[in-house]
Amino acid sequence: MMLLPAWATGQTLDECQRAAERNYPLIRQYGLIEKTTELTVANIQKGWLPQLSASAQATYQSDVTAWPDEMKTMMSGMGIDMEGLKKAQYRIGIDLQQTVYDGGAISSQKNITREQGNVQSAQTEVSLYAVRRRVNEMFFSLLMLEEQMLLNRDLQELLAANERKLQAMVKGGTAAESDWQNVRAERLNVVQQATNLESQKRMLTAMLSTFCGMEVKEIQRSEELRVKSEEFAAAIPSAGDSSLFTFHSSLNRPEMRLFDAQLRLADAQERGLNAALMPRLGVFAQGYYGYPGLNMFEDMMRHRWSLNGVIGARLTWNIGALYTRKNDKAKLKLQREVTESNREVFLFNNRLEQIQQQEEIARYRKLMADDDEIIMLRSAVRKAAESKLAHGIIDVNDLLREINQENAARVQQSMHEIEMLKEIYDNKFTTNN
């Protein structure tokens, strides 16, 4: 797949989502569905055009219309030869039929076709909308990796600084060489973690680039994302808010449009049942060249081919649709009930998903309220441990434990922040508002 050039700045989540929808192969179905629907409607519309058919036939009959024996005898006495019709008969003809009134059948078929196309388009939209969730997962996983890599670099610098101090202390005879080796080994472990994080980042970046159809080199920083997310978060009610049970009408998910399209299709199909009961009126013309013709008596006396024609009007009323009408209407009723049931199930599950997301957002907010103080305290304890190590009060293992605990607090803060951002954007996906 050919990738588009990267944008000058980091890609935002919304930009990645729009790019992924444009790049996803399913997007081409929109044009295919529209073209197929229009072609089908155009074919149905041609039902108003005159229907022309040509035919040719040759038959041999076991018996034909003949003169009575008494008449043949009488005509023979008068010197007139009455041969009668031949058993071999031939016809080459053309039939022309024109619908004048069809009871709304053609119009109904066109409406049904268009509604079927709308249902297919809505189903495609639902599938494309699901792409956003996949982009969310990759985007926030990549964001989490970048935050971890920043913290990893800070931890490397902190360990390197302590490594240099211990190296100087070893030279001065105030620290054992094993203490310096212990800190150095810990720093190298952190370097290995950075290698793993970098590998995961390259993999996720390549996946997101392929998914979006563009080269993603840098994504929007969490600080920039946080500003925008606060707009979404301000509109999110608390989990105990009664408005959770009255949000149906404002839910802007493509699934809702799919349910509406399915109900409109059922309505169009029911109108089609009504049209099937209406009579049909048409005019026709038939012409053929053959033997025998319409003048039977002439052809009984002279065996020759002739031109013949018939024009007329035909009214037909097929009441066979009454036989299945009751069952057909019952099937459409069940179809509507299934659609309404699916809508209620979707709304119910969507409501539960919103409650869960809102509770998670509230939980992360409470956790984040203490993260800054925890980091401040851990940083103070670590600095004190560095001072104690310099004065020989504690050993290097105690210092490493405090350094790791401070780093764990910073990682935890980043996780809380990014997880809350992800829940906010997941809630935006859930409601599409």
Side-chain angles (χ1 to χ4, degrees):
M1 179 182 298
M2 181 176 293
L3 300 180
L4 301 177
W7 285 301
T9 58
Q11 279 77 35
T12 67
L13 178 57
D14 289 339
E15 288 171 340
C16 288
Q17 288 175 342
R18 288 194 296 269
E21 288 181 355
R22 291 193 301 268
N23 181 62
Y24 202 60
L26 193 64
I27 191 68
R28 290 190 287 273
Q29 285 196 13
Y30 275 123
L32 297 176
I33 291 171
E34 183 179 356
K35 290 179 181 177
T36 301
T37 299
E38 291 307 315
L39 288 173
T40 304
V41 169
N43 285 341
I44 294 173
Q45 181 66 26
K46 287 179 171 59
W48 288 111
L49 297 178
Q51 305 300 307
L52 184 65
S53 62
S55 62
Q57 69 176 38
T59 61
Y60 184 84
Q61 301 178 195
S62 61
D63 205 355
V64 293
T65 304
W67 296 103
D69 291 339
E70 293 82 357
M71 185 172 290
K72 289 177 66 176
T73 303
M74 182 181 66
M75 299 297 279
S76 178
M78 298 172 59
I80 301 175
D81 185 14
M82 302 294 291
E83 296 184 12
L85 294 177
K86 290 184 177 181
K87 293 183 178 181
Q89 299 185 2
Y90 311 92
R91 173 179 296 193
I92 300 175
I94 294 177
D95 288 351
L96 180 65
Q97 299 187 41
Q98 171 65 57
T99 300
V100 177
Y101 173 73
D102 70 343
I106 292 178
S107 176
S108 176
Q109 290 174 13
K110 291 194 297 183
N111 290 336
I112 291 174
T113 299
R114 288 195 177 99
E115 293 301 338
Q116 288 173 336
N118 291 336
V119 169
Q120 291 176 349
S121 295
Q123 289 172 335
T124 302
E125 185 182 2
V126 170
S127 300
L128 281 174
Y129 188 75
V131 170
R132 297 188 184 185
R133 185 181 289 275
R134 297 175 65 181
V135 173
N136 277 8
E137 295 294 334
M138 288 186 283
F139 187 93
F140 281 102
S141 295
L142 192 56
L143 187 62
M144 180 69 76
L145 282 174
E146 291 197 347
E147 291 295 325
Q148 290 176 347
M149 291 173 67
L150 287 175
L151 294 174
N152 181 278
R153 284 194 288 271
D154 291 341
L155 181 58
Q156 288 186 51
E157 292 175 1
L158 180 60
L159 288 170
N162 280 278
E163 184 181 342
R164 288 191 294 272
K165 290 178 184 178
L166 281 169
Q167 189 175 27
M169 292 172 66
V170 169
K171 290 180 179 180
T174 58
E177 186 174 359
S178 60
D179 292 338
W180 170 79
Q181 292 172 338
N182 196 353
V183 174
R184 180 175 175 80
E186 185 67 23
R187 182 179 64 80
L188 292 176
N189 284 334
V190 175
V191 171
Q192 287 183 334
Q193 293 174 11
T195 301
N196 290 331
L197 291 172
E198 184 65 33
S199 176
Q200 294 178 44
K201 179 186 176 182
R202 285 196 301 269
M203 178 191 67
L204 268 176
T205 302
M207 290 176 59
L208 186 60
S209 297
T210 302
F211 208 79
C212 296
M214 65 183 182
E215 187 176 3
V216 177
K217 290 184 176 180
E218 182 181 354
I219 62 172
Q220 187 182 47
R221 301 296 307 143
S222 60
E223 294 83 1
E224 300 165 341
L225 196 64
R226 187 189 309 114
V227 174
K228 189 172 183 179
S229 68
E230 288 302 320
E231 301 174 6
F232 305 144
I236 298 176
S238 62
D241 196 328
S242 61
S243 64
L244 285 171
F245 300 94
T246 57
F247 77 102
H248 299 57
S249 59
S250 62
L251 194 62
N252 189 31
R253 286 287 293 266
E255 288 86 350
M256 302 298 287
R257 292 187 284 277
L258 173 59
F259 298 137
D260 291 338
Q262 289 172 338
L263 290 176
R264 290 195 301 270
L265 174 59
D267 293 339
Q269 289 171 331
E270 185 166 5
R271 289 191 294 270
L273 293 179
N274 297 332
L277 288 177
M278 302 300 291
R280 269 70 168 166
L281 176 63
V283 294
F284 65 91
Q286 298 175 339
Y288 70 91
Y289 179 67
Y291 171 84
L294 296 177
N295 190 339
M296 188 71 68
F297 291 110
E298 180 71 21
D299 290 333
M300 292 174 73
M301 298 180 65
R302 299 178 179 83
H303 298 158
R304 64 181 182 182
W305 289 37
S306 60
L307 288 172
N308 303 271
V310 178
I311 62 172
R314 180 183 294 115
L315 178 66
T316 59
W317 196 347
N318 183 5
I319 63 173
L322 284 172
Y323 303 152
T324 59
R325 179 179 174 80
K326 182 178 179 181
N327 289 340
D328 289 338
K329 294 196 68 156
K331 286 168 59 178
L332 289 176
K333 181 181 178 182
L334 292 174
Q335 182 177 321
R336 290 190 183 94
E337 291 176 355
V338 168
T339 300
E340 291 293 353
S341 176
N342 289 338
R343 188 204 299 268
E344 290 303 315
V345 169
F346 171 76
L347 289 172
F348 183 81
N349 291 332
N350 187 278
R351 185 161 56 245
L352 292 180
E353 192 172 3
Q354 286 194 54
I355 292 173
Q356 181 181 4
Q357 290 165 348
Q358 290 156 14
E359 284 289 0
E360 288 295 301
I361 292 170
R363 180 171 71 89
Y364 284 123
R365 279 175 172 161
K366 290 179 181 178
L367 292 174
M368 290 173 63
D370 299 325
D371 281 338
D372 287 334
E373 184 176 0
I374 292 174
I375 290 175
M376 180 186 67
L377 294 173
R378 288 295 181 191
S379 179
V381 171
R382 186 260 305 166
K383 291 177 181 177
E386 290 175 339
S387 177
K388 290 178 181 179
L389 178 67
H391 291 84
I393 300 175
I394 62 173
D395 60 21
V396 72
N397 289 323
D398 294 327
L399 173 62
L400 290 177
R401 183 177 61 252
E402 298 303 335
I403 290 175
N404 287 330
Q405 287 184 349
E406 180 188 1
N407 180 68
R410 294 184 184 279
V411 171
Q412 181 174 266
Q413 182 188 44
S414 295
M415 291 182 63
H416 288 165
E417 179 181 5
I418 294 176
E419 288 292 340
M420 188 189 75
L421 291 176
K422 182 178 181 298
E423 290 294 340
I424 290 174
Y425 274 84
D426 282 346
N427 185 264
K428 180 176 181 290
F429 171 87
T430 301
T431 60
N432 196 28
N433 289 330

